[in-house]
Amino acid sequence: MEEKTILAQILQALDLYATDMRKQFEALYEKFDSLQQQVQTLNEQTNMMNKRMEDMERRMEEMDKRIGEMDKRIEEMDGRIEEMDGRFERQIAQLERTVNERFERLEAKLGHIRVELAETQETVDFHSVKIAQHDRKIRHLLHTR
């Protein structure tokens, strides 16, 4: 009977040990399930982040294209501005030449007018002297009578 008792106690100890092991295995399974859910959540988040990164890369490529197009437009505008600048410089130079020519003509005309005025003044002075002489003669004739 002692053997039965010892055997019963051993079986009871093994049963307690097995129950304890089952509880530990269940706890480990729960932890494993929790970790598996966390891994799945992390995978989903990683996938979402990858999609966002791909979207960002696509947007960056579009922005690069737009910036390239804008650079081309700016270069074209620079060319047009330089062309317009050249045209303006040529037009300004032409206007300066035209204005200078007209001023030279005006100066020449003014020179001729000055000469004519000087000659006219000399003529007026001569006539004034002659008129004064004639006035004196007329007064003299009027007084002598």
Side-chain angles (χ1 to χ4, degrees):
M1 191 116 177
E2 257 183 55
E3 282 182 21
K4 279 188 177 180
T5 308
I6 291 175
L7 191 57
Q9 284 180 353
I10 290 174
L11 284 173
Q12 188 178 9
L14 284 174
D15 192 34
L16 283 174
Y17 180 75
T19 303
D20 189 42
M21 288 302 287
R22 279 188 209 111
K23 286 181 184 177
Q24 287 180 4
F25 278 129
E26 285 177 13
L28 284 174
Y29 283 133
E30 287 176 6
K31 284 183 182 179
F32 181 74
D33 286 340
S34 174
L35 287 174
Q36 204 169 13
Q37 286 177 352
Q38 288 176 355
V39 167
Q40 187 176 0
T41 303
L42 285 174
N43 281 338
E44 289 172 0
Q45 289 175 350
T46 302
N47 288 339
M48 286 182 68
M49 290 299 287
N50 286 339
K51 287 179 184 177
R52 286 182 180 171
M53 289 296 290
E54 289 172 1
D55 189 43
M56 292 282 283
E57 287 175 1
R58 184 180 50 79
R59 288 182 182 174
M60 291 296 287
E61 288 174 1
E62 289 175 4
M63 291 294 285
D64 287 343
K65 287 179 185 176
R66 288 181 182 171
I67 289 172
E69 291 172 0
M70 288 178 70
D71 285 343
K72 287 179 185 176
R73 288 180 185 167
I74 289 172
E75 288 175 8
E76 290 173 1
M77 287 176 66
D78 283 345
R80 284 187 263 172
I81 288 171
E82 287 177 10
E83 180 181 318
M84 287 174 61
D85 189 37
R87 279 189 277 165
F88 285 143
E89 286 178 4
R90 287 190 298 274
Q91 287 178 347
I92 288 171
Q94 179 62 36
L95 284 172
E96 285 177 349
R97 284 191 295 272
T98 303
V99 167
N100 287 338
E101 287 174 8
R102 288 183 179 176
F103 274 128
E104 288 171 5
R105 281 190 230 148
L106 263 174
E107 287 176 359
K109 283 182 183 179
L110 285 175
H112 291 332
I113 290 173
R114 281 188 193 125
V115 168
E116 287 177 9
L117 280 174
E119 289 173 354
T120 303
Q121 187 64 45
E122 287 176 11
T123 304
V124 167
D125 290 344
F126 175 76
H127 287 291
S128 294
V129 169
K130 290 296 179 183
I131 289 172
Q133 286 174 358
H134 288 294
D135 280 344
R136 269 186 251 135
K137 282 183 184 178
I138 291 174
R139 270 187 262 134
H140 179 65
L141 286 174
L142 285 175
H143 286 296
T144 55
R145 274 189 195 184

